[in-house]
Amino acid sequence: LFDKCASLRFTHRVTYAMTLGPCGAATMEAAVFANGLREIARACADFAQSEGLHITAISFTSQRSSVAAIGQDGSVLSPFYMWYDKRSCALCAEHIAQHGETLYALCGMSLTPVSSAPKMQWLKNTALDAYKNAYKLMGIHDYLLYLTCGRFVTDASLGCRTALMDIRNFCWSGELLAMFGLDEDKLCELVAPGSIIGSLSDAFARATGLPCG
């Protein structure tokens, strides 16, 4: 918790660890992040109240390149496939062999399993129901933004790590989406880094003690 002069007033930490499995699997349940966010927010709200401070804004740093399928009502349809998950290695190799130069020219990345796009394609190939029923395929940062204010957004600094964003025009690339066999309507709305995206929801305020709005 920082004051308006950028002086640090309070910190609270929640630790967690990935679940590792065979074939390079690395996952985490969305509830770990949701519960951690609420605990940290409650701790900050309690400190602010004890010190007579008023919290005016929440800002998120990024956790990029992890992917989960999330329903329109926020229901969790898959675990988070973490940045460390390596099960899309074969897909990456195929794309590099067929489209390596085009990929790099459009998204500015050399494709690896860390990228979101091959994980999304792997999810579609191995958990088709989760893909079909997903309203959005979201990163951790995007999911936490949804929990606080109910919007499905991501920013361009995270979008560029998916291997799906046209880095010259700052939009989702139809050519890249076709390459990975993905649907644009399953991606979050792109916004500029630092954007104000909404107000704290009543539900999150009640759960944490933070001021609504």
Side-chain angles (χ1 to χ4, degrees):
L1 190 64
F2 294 90
D3 65 23
K4 60 186 176 182
C5 297
S7 297
L8 180 63
R9 299 294 299 269
F10 177 74
T11 62
H12 186 77
R13 177 179 294 177
V14 176
T15 60
Y16 55 86
M18 290 183 287
T19 300
L20 304 181
C23 304
T27 60
M28 285 188 66
E29 297 303 320
V32 173
F33 298 108
N35 293 337
L37 171 64
R38 293 186 189 104
E39 179 181 330
I40 290 168
R42 277 194 299 269
C44 288
D46 289 346
F47 175 82
Q49 184 176 16
S50 72
E51 295 291 310
L53 304 174
H54 178 68
I55 297 175
T56 58
I58 301 173
S59 180
F60 287 83
T61 56
S62 66
Q63 207 287 3
R64 63 193 185 205
S65 302
S66 301
V67 174
I70 306 296
Q72 190 168 7
D73 60 354
S75 55
V76 179
L77 307 178
S78 77
F80 272 99
Y81 301 102
M82 299 295 288
W83 65 271
Y84 194 70
D85 196 297
K86 298 178 177 64
R87 287 175 288 181
S88 61
C89 275
L91 290 172
C92 290
E94 290 175 17
H95 285 300
I96 290 168
Q98 296 176 26
H99 314 290
E101 291 186 9
T102 301
L103 271 163
Y104 190 82
L106 287 169
C107 71
M109 292 178 62
S110 297
L111 195 66
T112 74
V114 173
S115 308
S116 304
K119 282 196 282 287
M120 292 177 182
Q121 186 180 16
W122 184 89
L123 186 156
K124 182 180 180 181
N125 292 349
T126 60
L128 184 58
D129 285 346
Y131 179 85
K132 284 182 175 178
N133 294 325
Y135 181 64
K136 299 295 179 185
L137 303 177
M138 306 177 73
I140 295 163
H141 175 276
D142 314 332
Y143 179 60
L144 298 185
L145 291 176
Y146 168 78
L147 292 177
T148 55
C149 69
R151 286 190 65 195
F152 293 95
V153 299
T154 194
D155 77 51
S157 73
L158 297 167
C160 72
R161 296 296 305 171
T162 61
L164 293 171
M165 193 185 87
D166 181 328
I167 60 168
R168 291 176 178 82
N169 298 305
F170 297 96
C171 63
W172 298 122
S173 165
E175 188 172 352
L176 290 169
L177 285 159
M179 201 176 291
F180 289 97
L182 300 170
D183 300 290
E184 183 173 353
D185 62 4
K186 294 192 180 295
L187 302 181
C188 292
E189 176 189 353
L190 280 167
V191 298
S195 297
I196 296 173
I197 62 159
S199 299
L200 203 65
S201 70
D202 292 346
F204 193 82
R206 286 195 302 270
T208 60
L210 290 171
C212 184

mmCIF file of all heavy atoms in Angstrom, residues 15-64:
data_model
loop_
_atom_site.group_PDB
_atom_site.id
_atom_site.type_symbol
_atom_site.label_atom_id
_atom_site.label_comp_id
_atom_site.label_asym_id
_atom_site.label_seq_id
_atom_site.Cartn_x
_atom_site.Cartn_y
_atom_site.Cartn_z
ATOM 1 N N THR A 15 1.963 -16.711 -0.423
ATOM 2 C CA THR A 15 2.843 -17.583 -1.207
ATOM 3 C C THR A 15 2.041 -18.721 -1.839
ATOM 4 O O THR A 15 0.992 -19.129 -1.330
ATOM 5 C CB THR A 15 3.969 -18.168 -0.346
ATOM 6 O OG1 THR A 15 3.386 -18.936 0.716
ATOM 7 C CG2 THR A 15 4.826 -17.060 0.253
ATOM 8 N N TYR A 16 2.547 -19.237 -2.948
ATOM 9 C CA TYR A 16 1.903 -20.350 -3.637
ATOM 10 C C TYR A 16 2.941 -21.066 -4.482
ATOM 11 O O TYR A 16 4.047 -20.553 -4.685
ATOM 12 C CB TYR A 16 0.735 -19.863 -4.499
ATOM 13 C CG TYR A 16 1.091 -18.787 -5.495
ATOM 14 C CD1 TYR A 16 1.587 -19.124 -6.753
ATOM 15 C CD2 TYR A 16 0.917 -17.436 -5.188
ATOM 16 C CE1 TYR A 16 1.916 -18.138 -7.680
ATOM 17 C CE2 TYR A 16 1.245 -16.446 -6.101
ATOM 18 C CZ TYR A 16 1.740 -16.809 -7.340
ATOM 19 O OH TYR A 16 2.062 -15.842 -8.249
ATOM 20 N N ALA A 17 2.584 -22.236 -4.986
ATOM 21 C CA ALA A 17 3.503 -23.007 -5.822
ATOM 22 C C ALA A 17 2.727 -23.717 -6.914
ATOM 23 O O ALA A 17 1.561 -24.084 -6.734
ATOM 24 C CB ALA A 17 4.259 -24.034 -4.978
ATOM 25 N N MET A 18 3.367 -23.888 -8.049
ATOM 26 C CA MET A 18 2.755 -24.613 -9.155
ATOM 27 C C MET A 18 2.663 -26.100 -8.839
ATOM 28 O O MET A 18 3.463 -26.643 -8.083
ATOM 29 C CB MET A 18 3.587 -24.432 -10.429
ATOM 30 C CG MET A 18 3.541 -23.051 -11.003
ATOM 31 S SD MET A 18 4.476 -22.912 -12.558
ATOM 32 C CE MET A 18 6.160 -22.979 -11.967
ATOM 33 N N THR A 19 1.673 -26.761 -9.452
ATOM 34 C CA THR A 19 1.570 -28.216 -9.407
ATOM 35 C C THR A 19 2.203 -28.764 -10.671
ATOM 36 O O THR A 19 1.751 -28.456 -11.780
ATOM 37 C CB THR A 19 0.104 -28.664 -9.327
ATOM 38 O OG1 THR A 19 -0.482 -28.125 -8.134
ATOM 39 C CG2 THR A 19 0.002 -30.182 -9.308
ATOM 40 N N LEU A 20 3.268 -29.520 -10.532
ATOM 41 C CA LEU A 20 3.973 -30.088 -11.675
ATOM 42 C C LEU A 20 3.524 -31.521 -11.899
ATOM 43 O O LEU A 20 3.262 -32.263 -10.948
ATOM 44 C CB LEU A 20 5.490 -30.027 -11.442
ATOM 45 C CG LEU A 20 6.070 -28.635 -11.153
ATOM 46 C CD1 LEU A 20 7.575 -28.726 -10.960
ATOM 47 C CD2 LEU A 20 5.728 -27.665 -12.272
ATOM 48 N N GLY A 21 3.426 -31.903 -13.187
ATOM 49 C CA GLY A 21 2.968 -33.234 -13.524
ATOM 50 C C GLY A 21 3.748 -33.811 -14.690
ATOM 51 O O GLY A 21 4.735 -33.229 -15.154
ATOM 52 N N PRO A 22 3.307 -34.962 -15.216
ATOM 53 C CA PRO A 22 4.029 -35.622 -16.308
ATOM 54 C C PRO A 22 3.968 -34.821 -17.600
ATOM 55 O O PRO A 22 3.097 -33.970 -17.786
ATOM 56 C CB PRO A 22 3.300 -36.967 -16.448
ATOM 57 C CG PRO A 22 1.943 -36.732 -15.868
ATOM 58 C CD PRO A 22 2.122 -35.725 -14.788
ATOM 59 N N CYS A 23 4.910 -35.085 -18.475
ATOM 60 C CA CYS A 23 4.963 -34.490 -19.821
ATOM 61 C C CYS A 23 5.117 -32.969 -19.788
ATOM 62 O O CYS A 23 4.694 -32.283 -20.714
ATOM 63 C CB CYS A 23 3.739 -34.882 -20.649
ATOM 64 S SG CYS A 23 3.492 -36.652 -20.793
ATOM 65 N N GLY A 24 5.665 -32.447 -18.713
ATOM 66 C CA GLY A 24 5.893 -31.007 -18.631
ATOM 67 C C GLY A 24 4.728 -30.204 -18.122
ATOM 68 O O GLY A 24 4.731 -28.972 -18.240
ATOM 69 N N ALA A 25 3.723 -30.864 -17.523
ATOM 70 C CA ALA A 25 2.550 -30.151 -17.019
ATOM 71 C C ALA A 25 2.926 -29.242 -15.863
ATOM 72 O O ALA A 25 3.716 -29.609 -14.989
ATOM 73 C CB ALA A 25 1.474 -31.137 -16.580
ATOM 74 N N ALA A 26 2.351 -28.041 -15.857
ATOM 75 C CA ALA A 26 2.518 -27.101 -14.749
ATOM 76 C C ALA A 26 1.232 -26.296 -14.644
ATOM 77 O O ALA A 26 0.920 -25.496 -15.530
ATOM 78 C CB ALA A 26 3.716 -26.188 -14.977
ATOM 79 N N THR A 27 0.459 -26.521 -13.590
ATOM 80 C CA THR A 27 -0.863 -25.910 -13.479
ATOM 81 C C THR A 27 -1.062 -25.313 -12.088
ATOM 82 O O THR A 27 -0.322 -25.601 -11.152
ATOM 83 C CB THR A 27 -1.976 -26.952 -13.719
ATOM 84 O OG1 THR A 27 -1.872 -27.989 -12.734
ATOM 85 C CG2 THR A 27 -1.871 -27.557 -15.112
ATOM 86 N N MET A 28 -2.083 -24.468 -12.006
ATOM 87 C CA MET A 28 -2.551 -23.961 -10.717
ATOM 88 C C MET A 28 -4.050 -23.738 -10.810
ATOM 89 O O MET A 28 -4.569 -23.393 -11.876
ATOM 90 C CB MET A 28 -1.852 -22.659 -10.338
ATOM 91 C CG MET A 28 -0.430 -22.850 -9.872
ATOM 92 S SD MET A 28 0.299 -21.333 -9.226
ATOM 93 C CE MET A 28 -0.723 -21.082 -7.780
ATOM 94 N N GLU A 29 -4.737 -23.920 -9.696
ATOM 95 C CA GLU A 29 -6.172 -23.669 -9.660
ATOM 96 C C GLU A 29 -6.428 -22.170 -9.529
ATOM 97 O O GLU A 29 -5.740 -21.466 -8.785
ATOM 98 C CB GLU A 29 -6.813 -24.427 -8.499
ATOM 99 C CG GLU A 29 -6.704 -25.934 -8.607
ATOM 100 C CD GLU A 29 -7.305 -26.486 -9.900
ATOM 101 O OE1 GLU A 29 -8.385 -25.987 -10.313
ATOM 102 O OE2 GLU A 29 -6.698 -27.394 -10.489
ATOM 103 N N ALA A 30 -7.442 -21.695 -10.236
ATOM 104 C CA ALA A 30 -7.767 -20.265 -10.209
ATOM 105 C C ALA A 30 -8.096 -19.790 -8.802
ATOM 106 O O ALA A 30 -7.831 -18.634 -8.454
ATOM 107 C CB ALA A 30 -8.935 -19.989 -11.146
ATOM 108 N N ALA A 31 -8.652 -20.671 -7.976
ATOM 109 C CA ALA A 31 -9.028 -20.286 -6.616
ATOM 110 C C ALA A 31 -7.824 -19.830 -5.799
ATOM 111 O O ALA A 31 -7.966 -18.994 -4.893
ATOM 112 C CB ALA A 31 -9.718 -21.449 -5.909
ATOM 113 N N VAL A 32 -6.639 -20.353 -6.098
ATOM 114 C CA VAL A 32 -5.435 -19.930 -5.379
ATOM 115 C C VAL A 32 -5.212 -18.435 -5.571
ATOM 116 O O VAL A 32 -4.927 -17.699 -4.624
ATOM 117 C CB VAL A 32 -4.209 -20.729 -5.864
ATOM 118 C CG1 VAL A 32 -2.913 -20.179 -5.255
ATOM 119 C CG2 VAL A 32 -4.365 -22.209 -5.534
ATOM 120 N N PHE A 33 -5.359 -17.977 -6.813
ATOM 121 C CA PHE A 33 -5.154 -16.560 -7.112
ATOM 122 C C PHE A 33 -6.297 -15.708 -6.570
ATOM 123 O O PHE A 33 -6.076 -14.615 -6.038
ATOM 124 C CB PHE A 33 -4.994 -16.355 -8.613
ATOM 125 C CG PHE A 33 -3.798 -17.062 -9.171
ATOM 126 C CD1 PHE A 33 -3.936 -18.190 -9.959
ATOM 127 C CD2 PHE A 33 -2.515 -16.620 -8.886
ATOM 128 C CE1 PHE A 33 -2.830 -18.851 -10.464
ATOM 129 C CE2 PHE A 33 -1.405 -17.274 -9.383
ATOM 130 C CZ PHE A 33 -1.561 -18.394 -10.174
ATOM 131 N N ALA A 34 -7.529 -16.198 -6.715
ATOM 132 C CA ALA A 34 -8.686 -15.442 -6.221
ATOM 133 C C ALA A 34 -8.602 -15.268 -4.711
ATOM 134 O O ALA A 34 -8.823 -14.164 -4.185
ATOM 135 C CB ALA A 34 -9.971 -16.161 -6.609
ATOM 136 N N ASN A 35 -8.280 -16.345 -3.995
ATOM 137 C CA ASN A 35 -8.197 -16.262 -2.535
ATOM 138 C C ASN A 35 -7.022 -15.387 -2.100
ATOM 139 O O ASN A 35 -7.128 -14.633 -1.126
ATOM 140 C CB ASN A 35 -8.066 -17.661 -1.941
ATOM 141 C CG ASN A 35 -9.321 -18.497 -2.132
ATOM 142 O OD1 ASN A 35 -10.407 -17.956 -2.310
ATOM 143 N ND2 ASN A 35 -9.177 -19.817 -2.111
ATOM 144 N N GLY A 36 -5.903 -15.485 -2.815
ATOM 145 C CA GLY A 36 -4.752 -14.650 -2.496
ATOM 146 C C GLY A 36 -5.050 -13.176 -2.685
ATOM 147 O O GLY A 36 -4.682 -12.334 -1.851
ATOM 148 N N LEU A 37 -5.740 -12.848 -3.778
ATOM 149 C CA LEU A 37 -6.109 -11.460 -4.036
ATOM 150 C C LEU A 37 -6.999 -10.921 -2.925
ATOM 151 O O LEU A 37 -6.786 -9.810 -2.420
ATOM 152 C CB LEU A 37 -6.831 -11.366 -5.386
ATOM 153 C CG LEU A 37 -7.465 -10.028 -5.720
ATOM 154 C CD1 LEU A 37 -6.403 -8.935 -5.855
ATOM 155 C CD2 LEU A 37 -8.292 -10.119 -6.999
ATOM 156 N N ARG A 38 -8.009 -11.704 -2.532
ATOM 157 C CA ARG A 38 -8.926 -11.243 -1.489
ATOM 158 C C ARG A 38 -8.206 -11.072 -0.151
ATOM 159 O O ARG A 38 -8.456 -10.110 0.583
ATOM 160 C CB ARG A 38 -10.096 -12.227 -1.355
ATOM 161 C CG ARG A 38 -11.002 -12.257 -2.584
ATOM 162 C CD ARG A 38 -12.230 -13.120 -2.355
ATOM 163 N NE ARG A 38 -12.963 -13.304 -3.597
ATOM 164 C CZ ARG A 38 -12.941 -14.418 -4.322
ATOM 165 N NH1 ARG A 38 -12.214 -15.453 -3.921
ATOM 166 N NH2 ARG A 38 -13.627 -14.499 -5.445
ATOM 167 N N GLU A 39 -7.308 -11.999 0.163
ATOM 168 C CA GLU A 39 -6.576 -11.889 1.431
ATOM 169 C C GLU A 39 -5.714 -10.625 1.461
ATOM 170 O O GLU A 39 -5.690 -9.894 2.462
ATOM 171 C CB GLU A 39 -5.703 -13.125 1.649
ATOM 172 C CG GLU A 39 -4.901 -13.053 2.944
ATOM 173 C CD GLU A 39 -4.009 -14.255 3.173
ATOM 174 O OE1 GLU A 39 -4.358 -15.352 2.708
ATOM 175 O OE2 GLU A 39 -2.958 -14.086 3.827
ATOM 176 N N ILE A 40 -5.012 -10.363 0.376
ATOM 177 C CA ILE A 40 -4.158 -9.180 0.319
ATOM 178 C C ILE A 40 -5.006 -7.901 0.388
ATOM 179 O O ILE A 40 -4.673 -6.949 1.098
ATOM 180 C CB ILE A 40 -3.303 -9.199 -0.964
ATOM 181 C CG1 ILE A 40 -2.254 -10.306 -0.861
ATOM 182 C CG2 ILE A 40 -2.637 -7.849 -1.208
ATOM 183 C CD1 ILE A 40 -1.543 -10.605 -2.165
ATOM 184 N N ALA A 41 -6.121 -7.898 -0.351
ATOM 185 C CA ALA A 41 -6.995 -6.721 -0.341
ATOM 186 C C ALA A 41 -7.576 -6.483 1.053
ATOM 187 O O ALA A 41 -7.652 -5.339 1.516
ATOM 188 C CB ALA A 41 -8.110 -6.896 -1.368
ATOM 189 N N ARG A 42 -7.986 -7.552 1.741
ATOM 190 C CA ARG A 42 -8.521 -7.411 3.103
ATOM 191 C C ARG A 42 -7.459 -6.862 4.052
ATOM 192 O O ARG A 42 -7.735 -5.999 4.892
ATOM 193 C CB ARG A 42 -9.034 -8.758 3.620
ATOM 194 C CG ARG A 42 -10.438 -9.117 3.186
ATOM 195 C CD ARG A 42 -11.005 -10.260 3.996
ATOM 196 N NE ARG A 42 -10.217 -11.476 3.840
ATOM 197 C CZ ARG A 42 -10.437 -12.409 2.928
ATOM 198 N NH1 ARG A 42 -11.459 -12.265 2.081
ATOM 199 N NH2 ARG A 42 -9.684 -13.477 2.848
ATOM 200 N N ALA A 43 -6.223 -7.378 3.923
ATOM 201 C CA ALA A 43 -5.143 -6.919 4.794
ATOM 202 C C ALA A 43 -4.869 -5.428 4.579
ATOM 203 O O ALA A 43 -4.671 -4.677 5.541
ATOM 204 C CB ALA A 43 -3.881 -7.742 4.546
ATOM 205 N N CYS A 44 -4.865 -4.996 3.323
ATOM 206 C CA CYS A 44 -4.649 -3.579 3.017
ATOM 207 C C CYS A 44 -5.798 -2.724 3.549
ATOM 208 O O CYS A 44 -5.582 -1.636 4.099
ATOM 209 C CB CYS A 44 -4.493 -3.378 1.512
ATOM 210 S SG CYS A 44 -2.929 -3.978 0.842
ATOM 211 N N ALA A 45 -7.030 -3.214 3.379
ATOM 212 C CA ALA A 45 -8.195 -2.470 3.859
ATOM 213 C C ALA A 45 -8.171 -2.341 5.375
ATOM 214 O O ALA A 45 -8.476 -1.270 5.921
ATOM 215 C CB ALA A 45 -9.473 -3.161 3.400
ATOM 216 N N ASP A 46 -7.797 -3.416 6.058
ATOM 217 C CA ASP A 46 -7.746 -3.373 7.527
ATOM 218 C C ASP A 46 -6.679 -2.384 8.005
ATOM 219 O O ASP A 46 -6.909 -1.624 8.951
ATOM 220 C CB ASP A 46 -7.441 -4.771 8.084
ATOM 221 C CG ASP A 46 -8.607 -5.731 7.919
ATOM 222 O OD1 ASP A 46 -9.725 -5.271 7.631
ATOM 223 O OD2 ASP A 46 -8.383 -6.955 8.071
ATOM 224 N N PHE A 47 -5.508 -2.405 7.353
ATOM 225 C CA PHE A 47 -4.447 -1.471 7.736
ATOM 226 C C PHE A 47 -4.902 -0.029 7.498
ATOM 227 O O PHE A 47 -4.699 0.846 8.354
ATOM 228 C CB PHE A 47 -3.177 -1.752 6.942
ATOM 229 C CG PHE A 47 -2.085 -0.748 7.204
ATOM 230 C CD1 PHE A 47 -1.264 -0.868 8.316
ATOM 231 C CD2 PHE A 47 -1.896 0.335 6.347
ATOM 232 C CE1 PHE A 47 -0.269 0.074 8.572
ATOM 233 C CE2 PHE A 47 -0.901 1.275 6.598
ATOM 234 C CZ PHE A 47 -0.087 1.142 7.715
ATOM 235 N N ALA A 48 -5.488 0.217 6.336
ATOM 236 C CA ALA A 48 -5.935 1.576 6.017
ATOM 237 C C ALA A 48 -6.936 2.077 7.048
ATOM 238 O O ALA A 48 -6.863 3.223 7.502
ATOM 239 C CB ALA A 48 -6.540 1.611 4.617
ATOM 240 N N GLN A 49 -7.872 1.213 7.423
ATOM 241 C CA GLN A 49 -8.872 1.612 8.414
ATOM 242 C C GLN A 49 -8.213 1.923 9.758
ATOM 243 O O GLN A 49 -8.556 2.907 10.426
ATOM 244 C CB GLN A 49 -9.911 0.506 8.579
ATOM 245 C CG GLN A 49 -11.041 0.878 9.525
ATOM 246 C CD GLN A 49 -12.103 -0.205 9.597
ATOM 247 O OE1 GLN A 49 -11.890 -1.329 9.193
ATOM 248 N NE2 GLN A 49 -13.274 0.152 10.117
ATOM 249 N N SER A 50 -7.242 1.089 10.157
ATOM 250 C CA SER A 50 -6.583 1.299 11.443
ATOM 251 C C SER A 50 -5.770 2.584 11.478
ATOM 252 O O SER A 50 -5.549 3.159 12.554
ATOM 253 C CB SER A 50 -5.676 0.103 11.766
ATOM 254 O OG SER A 50 -4.521 0.090 10.933
ATOM 255 N N GLU A 51 -5.325 3.048 10.290
ATOM 256 C CA GLU A 51 -4.505 4.260 10.212
ATOM 257 C C GLU A 51 -5.299 5.493 9.780
ATOM 258 O O GLU A 51 -4.734 6.575 9.606
ATOM 259 C CB GLU A 51 -3.365 4.035 9.210
ATOM 260 C CG GLU A 51 -2.367 2.963 9.617
ATOM 261 C CD GLU A 51 -1.535 3.378 10.813
ATOM 262 O OE1 GLU A 51 -0.978 4.503 10.788
ATOM 263 O OE2 GLU A 51 -1.459 2.595 11.790
ATOM 264 N N GLY A 52 -6.593 5.315 9.571
ATOM 265 C CA GLY A 52 -7.413 6.433 9.133
ATOM 266 C C GLY A 52 -7.140 6.855 7.702
ATOM 267 O O GLY A 52 -7.292 8.027 7.350
ATOM 268 N N LEU A 53 -6.711 5.902 6.850
ATOM 269 C CA LEU A 53 -6.394 6.192 5.446
ATOM 270 C C LEU A 53 -7.555 5.790 4.555
ATOM 271 O O LEU A 53 -8.327 4.886 4.874
ATOM 272 C CB LEU A 53 -5.131 5.426 5.027
ATOM 273 C CG LEU A 53 -3.879 5.651 5.857
ATOM 274 C CD1 LEU A 53 -2.762 4.713 5.415
ATOM 275 C CD2 LEU A 53 -3.432 7.103 5.750
ATOM 276 N N HIS A 54 -7.648 6.432 3.387
ATOM 277 C CA HIS A 54 -8.681 6.106 2.402
ATOM 278 C C HIS A 54 -8.013 5.591 1.131
ATOM 279 O O HIS A 54 -7.184 6.287 0.535
ATOM 280 C CB HIS A 54 -9.526 7.343 2.083
ATOM 281 C CG HIS A 54 -10.579 7.084 1.050
ATOM 282 N ND1 HIS A 54 -11.665 6.257 1.284
ATOM 283 C CD2 HIS A 54 -10.698 7.517 -0.234
ATOM 284 C CE1 HIS A 54 -12.409 6.205 0.185
ATOM 285 N NE2 HIS A 54 -11.849 6.961 -0.745
ATOM 286 N N ILE A 55 -8.357 4.380 0.721
ATOM 287 C CA ILE A 55 -7.783 3.788 -0.497
ATOM 288 C C ILE A 55 -8.578 4.287 -1.699
ATOM 289 O O ILE A 55 -9.806 4.157 -1.738
ATOM 290 C CB ILE A 55 -7.803 2.254 -0.420
ATOM 291 C CG1 ILE A 55 -6.919 1.780 0.743
ATOM 292 C CG2 ILE A 55 -7.317 1.634 -1.741
ATOM 293 C CD1 ILE A 55 -6.969 0.289 0.992
ATOM 294 N N THR A 56 -7.886 4.841 -2.677
ATOM 295 C CA THR A 56 -8.575 5.447 -3.823
ATOM 296 C C THR A 56 -8.445 4.643 -5.108
ATOM 297 O O THR A 56 -9.230 4.836 -6.034
ATOM 298 C CB THR A 56 -8.021 6.862 -4.099
ATOM 299 O OG1 THR A 56 -6.618 6.774 -4.350
ATOM 300 C CG2 THR A 56 -8.256 7.767 -2.903
ATOM 301 N N ALA A 57 -7.452 3.750 -5.216
ATOM 302 C CA ALA A 57 -7.253 3.024 -6.474
ATOM 303 C C ALA A 57 -6.482 1.741 -6.223
ATOM 304 O O ALA A 57 -5.739 1.619 -5.244
ATOM 305 C CB ALA A 57 -6.492 3.884 -7.486
ATOM 306 N N ILE A 58 -6.676 0.777 -7.109
ATOM 307 C CA ILE A 58 -5.929 -0.479 -7.103
ATOM 308 C C ILE A 58 -5.223 -0.601 -8.442
ATOM 309 O O ILE A 58 -5.822 -0.362 -9.494
ATOM 310 C CB ILE A 58 -6.855 -1.696 -6.908
ATOM 311 C CG1 ILE A 58 -7.618 -1.578 -5.588
ATOM 312 C CG2 ILE A 58 -6.065 -2.998 -6.934
ATOM 313 C CD1 ILE A 58 -8.673 -2.655 -5.425
ATOM 314 N N SER A 59 -3.959 -0.975 -8.414
ATOM 315 C CA SER A 59 -3.190 -1.180 -9.638
ATOM 316 C C SER A 59 -2.602 -2.582 -9.632
ATOM 317 O O SER A 59 -2.190 -3.085 -8.581
ATOM 318 C CB SER A 59 -2.059 -0.142 -9.727
ATOM 319 O OG SER A 59 -1.306 -0.337 -10.907
ATOM 320 N N PHE A 60 -2.564 -3.216 -10.801
ATOM 321 C CA PHE A 60 -2.051 -4.573 -10.928
ATOM 322 C C PHE A 60 -0.769 -4.595 -11.748
ATOM 323 O O PHE A 60 -0.708 -4.008 -12.829
ATOM 324 C CB PHE A 60 -3.069 -5.476 -11.633
ATOM 325 C CG PHE A 60 -4.245 -5.819 -10.779
ATOM 326 C CD1 PHE A 60 -5.318 -4.951 -10.674
ATOM 327 C CD2 PHE A 60 -4.283 -7.009 -10.071
ATOM 328 C CE1 PHE A 60 -6.416 -5.259 -9.881
ATOM 329 C CE2 PHE A 60 -5.375 -7.333 -9.281
ATOM 330 C CZ PHE A 60 -6.443 -6.445 -9.188
ATOM 331 N N THR A 61 0.227 -5.289 -11.251
ATOM 332 C CA THR A 61 1.365 -5.649 -12.084
ATOM 333 C C THR A 61 0.996 -6.924 -12.827
ATOM 334 O O THR A 61 -0.076 -7.483 -12.631
ATOM 335 C CB THR A 61 2.627 -5.873 -11.244
ATOM 336 O OG1 THR A 61 2.353 -6.876 -10.264
ATOM 337 C CG2 THR A 61 3.046 -4.595 -10.542
ATOM 338 N N SER A 62 1.891 -7.410 -13.695
ATOM 339 C CA SER A 62 1.482 -8.482 -14.600
ATOM 340 C C SER A 62 2.048 -9.836 -14.220
ATOM 341 O O SER A 62 3.125 -9.956 -13.659
ATOM 342 C CB SER A 62 1.915 -8.149 -16.028
ATOM 343 O OG SER A 62 3.324 -8.133 -16.113
ATOM 344 N N GLN A 63 1.253 -10.867 -14.527
ATOM 345 C CA GLN A 63 1.741 -12.245 -14.537
ATOM 346 C C GLN A 63 1.325 -12.775 -15.898
ATOM 347 O O GLN A 63 0.166 -13.040 -16.147
ATOM 348 C CB GLN A 63 1.115 -13.076 -13.416
ATOM 349 C CG GLN A 63 1.972 -14.247 -12.945
ATOM 350 C CD GLN A 63 2.024 -15.422 -13.938
ATOM 351 O OE1 GLN A 63 1.484 -15.397 -15.027
ATOM 352 N NE2 GLN A 63 2.716 -16.471 -13.547
ATOM 353 N N ARG A 64 2.287 -12.882 -16.792
ATOM 354 C CA ARG A 64 1.947 -13.109 -18.194
ATOM 355 C C ARG A 64 2.025 -14.583 -18.577
ATOM 356 O O ARG A 64 2.602 -15.402 -17.874
ATOM 357 C CB ARG A 64 2.900 -12.313 -19.081
ATOM 358 C CG ARG A 64 4.353 -12.768 -18.944
ATOM 359 C CD ARG A 64 5.291 -11.757 -19.572
ATOM 360 N NE ARG A 64 6.677 -12.223 -19.548
ATOM 361 C CZ ARG A 64 7.718 -11.430 -19.573
ATOM 362 N NH1 ARG A 64 7.543 -10.129 -19.635
ATOM 363 N NH2 ARG A 64 8.931 -11.922 -19.556
#
